[in-house]
Amino acid sequence: MNDLSVYAAAGILLFFIGLYALFFRRQLLSKILAANVMGSGVFLIFIGLVKQPGQSTDPVPQAMVLTGIIVTLCFTAAAIALAIRLKELNEEHHSATRPEDDFG
Amino acid sequence: MTGLYLGLSLLLLATIVLGLVRILRGPTAADRMLAAQLFGTTTVAILLLLGQATSNQALWDVALVFALLTAIAAIAFVRRDLEPEQNKKEDGDVSA
Amino acid sequence: MTLLFGHLIDLLLAVSLTVLAWRLLATSDLFKATVLFIAFGLLMALAWVRLDAPDLALAEAVIGAGITGVLLLTALRHLDSGARVARMSGRSGRRSLRVLLPALGIMPALLVLLCLSSPHIRSTAGLTASVIERLDQIGTDHPVTAVLLDFRAYDTLLETAVLLLAVVAVWSLHPVRPIFSPEPISPAQRGLLRLLLPVLIMTSLYLFWRGSHAPGGAFQAGALLAAGLLLLLLSEQRLPGRWSGMFLRLLLAGGFMIFLLVAAGALVGTGTLLDYPGGGASWLLLSIEAALSLSIAALLATAVIGGRPSDRSTEFPPRRKDPAGEEG
Amino acid sequence: MFLRDATTCLLLLAAASFFLAGLVGLLRFPDVFCRLHALTKADNLGLGLVCIALIIQADSWHGAVRLLLTWFLVLVSGATVAHLIARKALQQGQTPWRNR
């Protein structure tokens, strides 16, 4: 057992917690957060398994995770924009099918 | 000395973990935001201590960046626009 | 003693990250989930510090704890009450997903056991040695920067393309809405901004400069600048209409375009895409980095604002009309 | 040398007590306005003590300047944010707690 393996283990758990939430949560924002948590889990596994105790961390996975963190933010922004649009369309749909509500 | 630095950062980390109870319990949104803000300060202290313990100057840069950005989430919180929810409630009242 | 404290910190961090993820995904109060996610970002930054990756800690500090918080808090307004997946296909789909539940329980347990028990899982030497060996051929002393801009420059080039695509996607969905409340901001906030912003820009430059020989670099500097831009927007400062047209678009695409130009130039000069000529590498890397920083700052900030600038004559993002003024 | 280390030890222990006090305040105070004190007073003072303890140990002046700058930024941000959150809470109609 290595002292830094706990991070990789936590990463695995984060990935599966996120996967579970992605499947079974209804709210879209929860699903987006779930995908974010899964991403963090993958990053933790990546760096946690690479790190050798007493040495500096391998720069190649570091660079890849750095890219990943920034891409995750943009993914989140795009996903939120989609979710907002979806909600708008739903509301338009509902008000179109039940016009009496608008005059009530 | 290194033991002291690490021990204190462990203690501070424990205060963050216990402080999470306040975010979980609330009761108001302001309480939750306030607790998150408090964690920012504690994290800066942990980073400074860890930087001294490992004599890695880069961690003080991380602490400086944290210090710059502790305010941004709270500012976004207070600038948040709560209008639509209120409108919705009024609409509900009218239709009821 | 020192070692024991280190182990305890690692253990506490790993456990609290897991519990935090579980709590934030289990709650149906979206505001609570958002604040928990900000705290999650803080702890992730600490985890990167413990894993000896200060570059990642810097990026996580700016993005995880700063920009994502702003993004989620402004999005909550539109998503708070509704935005669920439609029910139509929901029932049967969810029931068939339940078949996966045992797998979702057993798989992580097995993997965690494997990860904690097997010492051979990390037997390879890694790429550190080969990166450091070739470091003096490149115009930078910091291994991570070298990997980003030289060895794996393809990744970085495509990353900027992905960021650009994300902004295009956001812009194609809807025109920008007013994102903040019309009530006057507190003078204290204005004072804080006046104090923070210069320090923030200086820190960003400092990180940019540090990137050539120590943790820091174009990405962290760009992200920090983006946070500064958001801080400005949160305090009633807006981009005037004449700047949100061609100027903004050039800024967004600039980093990708310059990177692509250099790549194509290398293709013509040396016959290989992204193979920089030996002598000018340092100068070339610096110009690419500068363009990337500015582009990333603009890209992240526009992605967070969400929505395309609608009209050339209005400010970006637009002002919300004061409800009191409308009545009067 | 011994004196320097001893001072650092004392300052760090004092800092720990302030952070613990802040935690107790965060968990036990009755409402937002009281809890804001934990944020603005106890924790910022604790951070200040940590900074001074580390400045005593610092071997270069720019390290010390960076520490002071960090503390100053947190102090200013903390004070402003406390004001902003209190203002927002009042606007949302929370009434400050009174001991009856």
Side-chain angles (χ1 to χ4, degrees):
Chain A
M1 155 136 185
N2 183 297
D3 53 323
L4 291 169
S5 296
V6 287
Y7 288 110
I12 293 168
L13 288 178
L14 288 187
F15 183 84
F16 280 96
I17 291 171
L19 196 64
Y20 181 85
L22 194 65
F23 284 162
F24 293 106
R25 291 309 309 273
R26 269 282 168 68
Q27 280 155 323
L28 282 178
L29 195 69
S30 292
K31 281 178 189 282
I32 295 169
L33 288 180
N36 265 294
V37 167
M38 283 170 75
S40 298
V42 172
F43 299 153
L44 270 183
I45 297 169
F46 208 9
I47 302 286
L49 284 183
V50 152
K51 175 88 177 88
Q52 306 271 0
Q55 290 175 25
S56 60
T57 309
D58 197 333
V60 178
Q62 272 198 64
M64 292 167 94
V65 171
L66 185 59
T67 316
I69 289 176
I70 293 178
V71 168
T72 305
L73 175 66
C74 276
F75 148 78
T76 313
I80 283 178
L82 271 172
I84 293 174
R85 185 76 190 128
L86 186 65
K87 195 191 169 199
E88 273 178 6
L89 289 177
N90 265 341
E91 278 166 4
E92 275 171 31
H93 178 72
H94 280 300
S95 62
T97 48
R98 291 184 302 164
E100 67 272 18
D101 281 4
D102 287 347
F103 300 105
Chain B
M1 283 311 271
T2 316
L4 181 66
Y5 297 139
L6 283 179
L8 187 54
S9 26
L10 178 65
L11 183 78
L12 295 186
L13 188 63
T15 65
I16 289 189
V17 174
L18 288 176
L20 283 175
V21 174
R22 182 47 71 197
I23 299 190
L24 290 173
R25 261 201 223 147
T28 64
D31 282 304
R32 301 202 160 106
M33 204 62 235
L34 164 73
Q37 181 71 25
L38 201 62
F39 295 167
T41 312
T42 316
T43 309
V44 170
I46 294 177
L47 284 169
L48 292 177
L49 286 166
L50 283 179
Q52 180 77 15
T54 56
S55 55
N56 185 352
Q57 291 284 306
L59 298 194
W60 288 7
D61 292 340
V62 184
L64 182 62
V65 167
F66 256 114
L68 279 167
L69 294 181
T70 44
I72 194 168
I75 289 180
F77 164 70
V78 299
R79 295 291 298 153
R80 210 156 65 102
D81 196 350
L82 293 172
E83 246 186 304
E85 287 173 37
Q86 290 160 3
N87 284 350
K88 215 166 287 161
K89 268 175 208 155
E90 282 161 23
D91 287 353
D93 290 343
V94 168
S95 65
Chain C
M1 199 65 172
T2 310
L3 216 56
L4 174 71
F5 281 145
H7 284 313
L8 282 177
I9 290 178
D10 292 333
L11 199 64
L12 189 56
L13 259 180
V15 171
S16 50
L17 273 173
T18 316
V19 173
L20 202 51
W22 166 51
R23 293 306 311 170
L24 90 91
L25 293 176
T27 175
S28 59
D29 177 352
L30 290 181
F31 180 79
K32 187 168 144 189
T34 300
V35 177
L36 285 174
F37 193 71
I38 295 172
F40 183 78
L42 285 176
L43 292 186
M44 278 298 286
L46 286 178
W48 294 134
V49 165
R50 290 296 302 166
L51 285 165
D52 195 20
D55 284 284
L56 300 182
L58 274 173
E60 190 77 46
V62 182
I63 290 176
I67 299 179
T68 311
V70 179
L71 172 66
L72 292 173
L73 283 171
T74 49
L76 270 185
R77 185 164 81 83
H78 302 289
L79 286 171
D80 225 354
S81 50
R84 292 149 192 269
V85 184
R87 254 163 211 271
M88 289 166 291
S89 63
R91 275 293 153 218
S92 59
R94 278 157 62 88
R95 196 168 298 152
S96 64
L97 275 178
R98 300 225 180 263
V99 179
L100 289 175
L101 271 179
L104 280 179
I106 295 168
M107 283 258 294
L110 279 180
L111 284 171
V112 167
L113 267 181
L114 182 75
C115 177
L116 289 179
S117 62
S118 160
H120 307 294
I121 205 163
R122 58 174 87 220
S123 59
T124 53
L127 295 163
T128 316
S130 43
V131 170
I132 288 177
E133 193 180 297
R134 295 188 45 201
L135 213 52
D136 47 346
Q137 299 169 21
I138 312 160
T140 175
D141 296 332
H142 184 48
V144 178
T145 311
V147 173
L148 274 174
L149 291 175
D150 199 316
F151 302 134
R152 295 192 64 87
Y154 264 121
D155 280 1
T156 314
L157 180 64
L158 292 179
E159 179 205 354
T160 45
V162 167
L163 298 192
L164 202 55
L165 278 179
V167 170
V168 170
V170 169
W171 279 17
S172 64
L173 284 170
H174 42 71
V176 69
R177 310 182 185 79
I179 47 178
F180 303 118
S181 72
E183 15 183 278
I185 67 169
S186 158
Q189 186 187 333
R190 219 168 267 152
L192 179 71
L193 178 81
R194 211 166 284 159
L195 204 131
L196 277 189
L197 209 61
V199 187
L200 201 142
I201 292 171
M202 285 304 292
T203 312
S204 173
L205 283 173
Y206 166 74
L207 285 181
F208 183 79
W209 165 75
R210 288 267 295 182
S212 61
H213 55 91
F219 289 91
Q220 291 91 337
L224 193 56
L225 269 186
L229 283 177
L230 288 175
L231 211 52
L232 268 175
L233 293 177
L234 285 167
S235 312
E236 289 282 303
Q237 307 292 323
R238 277 143 226 279
L239 200 60
R242 65 197 144 88
W243 282 9
S244 61
M246 207 41 159
F247 175 77
L248 182 63
R249 286 165 175 80
L250 271 181
L251 195 61
L252 291 174
F256 180 63
M257 274 162 34
I258 289 181
F259 209 157
L260 203 59
L261 268 181
V262 172
L267 183 64
V268 172
T270 64
T272 322
L273 195 67
L274 284 167
D275 186 11
Y276 311 123
S282 174
W283 175 81
L284 266 182
L285 285 190
L286 198 67
S287 54
I288 293 177
E289 277 192 289
L292 271 185
S293 286
L294 291 177
S295 257
I296 285 173
L299 282 166
L300 294 185
T302 26
V304 170
I305 294 166
R308 66 179 173 276
S310 54
D311 198 310
R312 225 157 258 217
S313 59
T314 56
E315 295 164 307
F316 178 66
R319 229 170 260 276
R320 178 183 293 282
K321 285 205 187 89
D322 194 350
E326 267 178 5
E327 284 168 19
Chain D
M1 201 61 192
F2 169 75
L3 198 65
R4 201 168 77 161
D5 282 359
T7 322
T8 303
C9 275
L10 276 179
L11 284 171
L12 286 182
L13 287 178
S17 66
F18 275 107
F19 276 107
L20 285 178
L23 174 71
V24 172
L26 180 71
L27 292 180
R28 300 288 304 160
F29 277 166
D31 77 343
V32 176
F33 303 100
C34 296
R35 283 174 206 136
L36 279 168
H37 292 294
L39 166 67
T40 43
K41 298 186 177 66
D43 271 35
N44 283 342
L45 203 53
L47 181 66
L49 289 174
V50 168
C51 283
I52 295 172
L54 295 183
I55 286 173
I56 295 173
Q57 296 284 327
D59 38 16
S60 65
W61 63 269
H62 54 258
V65 168
R66 211 160 7 147
L67 283 172
L68 280 178
L69 181 64
T70 309
W71 182 29
F72 176 69
L73 288 174
V74 172
L75 215 53
V76 173
S77 302
T80 314
V81 164
H83 159 71
L84 291 175
I85 290 181
R87 190 166 171 253
K88 186 79 173 179
L90 278 176
Q91 275 172 4
Q92 286 177 340
Q94 293 188 43
T95 44
W97 169 86
R98 277 212 181 78
N99 194 5
R100 290 157 224 259

